[in-house]
Amino acid sequence: MFSHFRKKFIGDKAFYKMILTMVVPMILQMMITNLVSLIDNIMVGRLGTEPMSGVSVVNQFIFVFNVTIFGAVAGPSIFGAQFFGKGDHEGQKYTFRFRLIVCAAIITIAAAVFSLFGSPLISLFISKESEPEQASAILKCGSEYLRIIIIGLIPFGIGQAYSSVIRECGETKIPMIGAMSAIGINVLLDYGLIFGKLGMPELGVRGAAWATVIAKTFEALVVIVWAHTHHDRNKYIIGLFRGFHIPSRLIADITKKGILMLVNEFLWSLGMSVVMQCYSVRSTDVVAARNISSTMTNLFSSIYVQMGACIAIIVGARLGANKLKEARDLDNKLLFFAVVSAAAVGLVTLPLAPLFPQFYNTEDNIRDLAAYMIMIQAAAMPMWSYTNACYFTLRSGGKTGITFLFDFGFTWLIMIPLAAVLSYCTHLDIRIVFAVVTLSEVIKVAIGYFMVRSNIWINNIVDDI
C-alpha cells in the first residue's frame, strides 16, 4: 500500500530537481514582492493606526486590480504554455499581443474608477462606530495614498504581461532578479520618504506610495529590457510590434476560455474585499488587525501560490505536447508536494504569530487580534494550497468554465453570505466569525478533490489552432 502511495504521490530526485529549479525563483520573486509590501506596511504602521488603516483599505482596491491583471494574463498563458510545449513561437507571439492589449484596457478602467470614486470606496470600509476625527484621518490618509499609487498600475500591469510570457518558457529567474533589484530601492525610499531621512522630504503615506511606484517601475523595466535584448531566448518577441495582428480563431478561443478567468479573478478578489468589508462593520480595529495578519501570511503564502503557477506551466506544457499520462502523473505529485510544503509553512508561521504584530505602533487589543488571525490563517494554509493547486490543474487543461464555478461560486455563494450573516446578524465575537469564515475552505477542498479526480481537465487545446 505504501509503495503504491509513494509511486503515485512522491517523485524521484530528478522530479524534485526540476520542480525546485523552476519554482524556487518564482517563490523568491513573489516573496520579495510581498516582503516589500510587508516593509511598507510596517513603516506605515509606525505612523499610527489611522494611516495604517487608510493604506490598508486602499490596498484592498489594489489587490483587486492586481488579481484582475493576473486573470487577464492567465487565459492567454494557458495557450502560451501549450504553444511553447508545441514549439510554436508565432502562437506565443499572438498570445503575448493579446495580453498586452487586455492589460492596457484594465489599467485604463481601473485608473478611471479609482480617480473618480476613490473617496466613496474608502468610506465603505470605515466603521460607523468610529469617532469622526478617526474616520476623517483614515479617509484623508487613504485618499493621499491612492492618488499616487494609481501611477503604479501602469508598470505593474505591463510588467506582468512580460513576466507571464517569460515564465511560460521556463525562464523564472529574470522576474526574480527584477523583484530583487527593486526591493532595495523600495526599502531605501520607504525609509527616506516616509520619515524624512537621508535628505529626503518627510511625506508620510505619500512617501510610501511614491516608493512603491518607483520600485514597481524599476522591476518592470528589468523584465522588459531583458526580453527585448535576448531574442535567442525569446523568439516570440521578434516582430512583436510590427502590427498587432492576432488570428481571429485564436482571439475567439482565448476570449472564450480567458474571459471567464478574467471575470473569475476580478469577482474572486472583489469577493475577498467584500468579506473584509463585512468584518469592518464590527470596528476599525478589525481592519487594522486584518491588515497586519494578511501582510504576514501573504509573505508565506508565496510558496503555495507559486506552486500552483508551476503546476499550470509544467502540466500545461505536457498537455500541449500530448503527453497526457505524464501530465496526470506529474499533477498527482505536484498536488501532494504543494500541500506538504504549505503545512510546513503553516507550522513555521504559528510561533511567529504573537511576535510580528509587535512591530506596529498600535493598540494592544489590535495586536492580540492580529496574532489570533495569523494563527487561524496558518491552520488554513494546507487547505488553501490544495484548492489553489486544484484551480491551476483544471486551468492547465483549459477548463475555465469549471474553474469559474469552483472559485467564484464558492466565494459568492458560500463565503460572502456566511461572512455577511455572521457579521451583520449575530453578536458573535469577531474571532469566532473570522475562524468560521476562513476554515469554511474545507468545503472547497472537497469540491476540488472530486473535480481533479474526474480527469476532465486532461485536454490538449492547441492542436487544432
Side-chain angles (χ1 to χ4, degrees):
M1 185 175 178
F2 177 74
S3 60
H4 173 72
F5 176 87
R6 182 174 181 178
K7 182 179 180 181
K8 185 174 182 179
F9 295 109
I10 300 175
D12 55 17
K13 289 183 180 180
F15 168 79
Y16 291 109
K17 182 178 180 180
M18 173 189 69
I19 299 306
L20 293 175
T21 299
M22 173 173 287
V23 80
V24 167
M26 294 168 67
I27 290 172
L28 287 176
Q29 183 204 357
M30 190 172 181
M31 288 194 78
I32 290 166
T33 300
N34 288 336
L35 182 61
V36 170
S37 297
L38 183 147
I39 293 169
D40 276 351
N41 209 275
I42 291 176
M43 290 190 181
V44 171
R46 300 303 302 171
L47 298 175
T49 301
E50 288 75 19
M52 178 175 66
S53 297
V55 171
S56 172
V57 170
V58 171
N59 281 334
Q60 286 292 313
F61 312 149
I62 301 303
F63 168 73
V64 174
F65 167 79
N66 290 350
V67 173
T68 303
I69 287 290
F70 294 146
V73 302
S77 289
I78 296 174
F79 290 84
Q82 292 203 14
F83 276 130
F84 176 72
K86 190 179 178 182
D88 186 345
H89 302 301
E90 283 298 305
Q92 275 192 291
K93 182 188 300 181
Y94 296 142
T95 66
F96 189 20
R97 285 174 176 169
F98 188 95
R99 68 193 88 179
L100 283 172
I101 294 170
V102 174
C103 285
I106 294 171
I107 291 167
T108 303
I109 293 169
V113 170
F114 294 156
S115 298
L116 295 172
F117 306 107
S119 293
L121 286 171
I122 294 170
S123 298
L124 289 174
F125 289 79
I126 301 175
S127 173
K128 294 180 180 179
E129 306 299 322
S130 301
E131 294 294 328
E133 295 80 8
Q134 184 184 41
S136 177
I138 293 172
L139 180 60
K140 179 176 180 293
C141 291
S143 298
E144 288 179 350
Y145 185 80
L146 180 60
R147 278 194 292 269
I148 298 167
I149 209 70
I150 286 173
I151 302 169
L153 304 182
I154 300 171
F156 180 83
I158 302 303
Q160 286 303 311
Y162 273 84
S163 293
S164 66
V165 73
I166 289 172
R167 285 197 199 97
E168 70 193 25
C169 299
E171 178 54 72
T172 58
K173 292 181 181 178
I174 300 306
M176 179 194 71
I177 291 171
M180 291 182 69
S181 303
I183 189 172
I185 296 172
N186 205 127
V187 172
L188 185 68
L189 292 177
D190 266 338
Y191 179 68
L193 293 174
I194 293 174
F195 304 110
K197 304 295 185 179
L198 306 175
M200 301 181 198
E202 183 178 351
L203 300 178
V205 295
R206 289 180 294 131
W210 279 119
T212 300
V213 168
I214 294 169
K216 285 185 180 298
T217 301
F218 186 83
E219 180 179 351
L221 285 174
V222 169
V223 176
I224 293 169
V225 170
W226 182 86
H228 284 278
T229 54
H230 291 77
H231 290 179
D232 57 322
R233 305 278 294 279
N234 304 284
K235 292 184 171 59
Y236 56 84
I237 213 81
I238 300 171
L240 176 66
F241 295 114
R242 293 176 193 159
F244 259 74
H245 168 70
I246 305 171
S248 57
R249 168 77 181 279
L250 182 58
I251 291 175
D253 286 342
I254 294 178
T255 301
K256 182 180 176 181
K257 294 187 179 295
I259 193 66
L260 282 177
M261 300 184 69
L262 172 59
V263 173
N264 175 70
E265 295 297 326
F266 170 70
L267 291 177
W268 173 80
S269 58
L270 182 62
M272 293 298 99
S273 294
V274 171
V275 170
M276 176 67 173
Q277 196 278 330
C278 291
Y279 295 149
S280 72
V281 302
R282 293 303 186 92
S283 73
T284 303
D285 290 354
V286 178
V287 176
R290 183 74 181 89
N291 172 58
I292 295 171
S293 68
S294 61
T295 302
M296 170 71 172
T297 52
N298 284 349
L299 179 65
F300 293 106
S301 69
S302 306
I303 294 175
Y304 71 77
V305 169
Q306 294 295 39
M307 276 300 302
C310 185
I311 288 172
I313 294 170
I314 293 173
V315 175
R318 297 306 186 281
L319 293 174
N322 264 327
K323 299 178 180 178
L324 306 186
K325 289 185 178 180
E326 185 179 344
R328 169 76 269 189
D329 180 61
L330 283 172
D331 191 69
N332 284 333
K333 294 177 172 60
L334 286 164
L335 281 167
F336 182 76
F337 184 56
V339 173
V340 170
S341 300
V345 171
L347 290 174
V348 171
T349 304
L350 282 173
L352 299 176
L355 303 177
F356 180 70
Q358 301 304 317
F359 288 105
Y360 290 80
N361 178 27
T362 190
E363 294 78 13
D364 286 341
N365 63 306
I366 293 177
R367 293 194 188 101
D368 291 343
L369 180 56
Y372 172 83
M373 288 179 168
I374 291 171
M375 288 189 285
I376 294 298
Q377 290 169 320
M381 279 186 184
M383 292 190 292
W384 288 341
S385 180
Y386 183 75
T387 55
N388 181 67
C390 289
Y391 172 84
F392 279 101
T393 295
L394 296 167
R395 205 180 83 177
S396 68
K399 295 299 180 181
T400 53
I402 293 174
T403 57
F404 178 79
L405 294 174
F406 180 58
D407 231 16
F408 162 77
F410 174 79
T411 303
W412 285 86
L413 299 179
I414 298 175
M415 198 173 184
I416 290 176
L418 187 61
V421 169
L422 295 180
S423 297
Y424 284 93
C425 305
T426 75
H427 297 289
L428 288 173
D429 187 277
I430 187 61
R431 293 169 185 256
I432 297 175
V433 173
F434 183 79
V436 170
V437 174
T438 301
L439 299 179
S440 67
E441 187 78 10
V442 68
I443 299 171
K444 194 175 180 183
V445 168
I447 297 170
Y449 171 78
F450 288 108
M451 283 185 170
V452 172
R453 189 181 180 186
S454 71
N455 292 337
I456 57 174
W457 54 272
I458 300 179
N459 181 37
N460 184 325
I461 62 174
V462 299
D463 255 357
D464 297 327
I465 296 177

